Amino acid sequence: KFPKAWQSIDDRYEAREILKVQFERLGKMRVLREQVLRNGFKLSDISILQSDRNGLKFSVDVRNGTDGHAVPTGFDAERLIFLKVEVRDRHGKIVYVSGDRDPNGDVRDSHSLYVHNGELPLDKDLFSLQSKFIVRMLRGGEREQVLAINTSTDVLPFVRPEARATTIYGRPRGARKHKQTIEPNASRTATYKIPADRLRPGETYSISVSLISQMVPVNLIAAIQVAGFDYGMSPAQIARQIVRGSSVLWTRRSKVRID
């Protein structure tokens, strides 16, 4: 049973034709967007540094492929660029993982609600190019914050309007950013070490490293959900769409035998 606005079958057919064209355009734009991202981010082959009874150690380089500006660019505190790393034995069992997601779809950094609540361990080996907002505390010191919103130090807290153009700086002037971007034509090396007690001598292991781009981290949705979302979508629906829309820019694979 259609609502009144869509009771005419002709209107429904016309709407479908419009949607068909729009989906085709979105598909073309996705290809071009990923092409731009692949030009901006480069991933080297996997370098095996150690593979013996003392453990497995390997590295990979993430490079800025541009000579114009750092990557990621724009609002880099909301851009999630990270490496997902998996090491499996010959039976496909995972013996090491970094860059995996919690049940909300977040990587296991300090802003993951599951990590914050102690339900999952912090991913200490996570390679991420997401910059983080650092805000000053009332009695000195600083801490990370998902949204760097100026708040009053009065006993009745409220959001204090910024007197200067926040959009020019990409942040309120009362905060700063711990930048994790890569300078033009520069690179950063991610190194991983798996201890010997997780490995078996004589076993061959498969290493997979993927560079993933995502528009925003899921924890941002949790921080702004009180404002609501368009089309009546729930925060969980938005989070799932964000994760689904992430792009695997590059993947490198290698096999290594533990002597």
Side-chain angles (χ1 to χ4, degrees), residues 120-148:
L120 286 176
L122 178 70
D123 187 353
K124 296 181 180 180
D125 295 337
L126 176 66
F127 179 94
S128 174
L129 298 179
Q130 181 194 359
S131 299
K132 299 293 180 68
F133 285 121
I134 306 293
V135 296
R136 289 192 293 268
M137 305 295 288
L138 180 60
R139 293 180 175 84
E142 296 177 312
R143 68 174 175 86
E144 290 183 358
Q145 186 167 314
V146 176
L147 287 176

Side-chain angles (χ1 to χ4, degrees), residues 72-120:
T73 186
F75 290 97
D76 51 14
E78 279 92 30
R79 301 289 180 261
L80 183 58
I81 310 289
F82 66 100
L83 289 177
K84 181 179 180 180
V85 180
E86 290 183 346
V87 178
R88 298 175 181 265
D89 64 16
R90 58 189 173 91
H91 301 292
K93 180 183 177 182
I94 294 180
V95 298
Y96 174 85
V97 64
S98 175
D100 56 319
R101 300 176 184 271
D102 67 17
N104 284 338
D106 270 317
V107 294
R108 291 184 290 114
D109 62 5
S110 59
H111 289 177
S112 160
L113 294 179
Y114 279 81
V115 172
H116 182 271
N117 295 335
E119 299 176 51
L120 286 176

Side-chain angles (χ1 to χ4, degrees), residues 37-47 58-66 71 81-86 127 129 182 186-192 207-213 247-254:
L37 287 168
R38 289 192 177 102
N39 287 335
F41 295 93
K42 301 297 182 181
L43 186 64
S44 73
D45 292 331
I46 299 171
S47 297
F58 59 93
S59 67
V60 65
D61 296 333
V62 179
R63 183 170 60 86
N64 182 346
T66 75
V71 293
I81 310 289
F82 66 100
L83 289 177
K84 181 179 180 180
V85 180
E86 290 183 346
F127 179 94
L129 298 179
I182 302 177
S187 64
R188 191 172 301 167
T189 301
T191 303
Y192 302 90
I207 305 172
S208 173
V209 179
S210 295
L211 181 62
I212 300 175
S213 169
S247 300
V248 178
L249 304 182
W250 303 102
T251 297
R252 298 288 183 261
R253 292 184 174 89
S254 182

Side-chain angles (χ1 to χ4, degrees), residues 146-162:
V146 176
L147 287 176
I149 298 176
N150 285 342
T151 55
S152 173
T153 56
D154 192 85
V155 291
L156 297 176
F158 62 92
V159 175
R160 182 181 295 279
E162 178 62 70

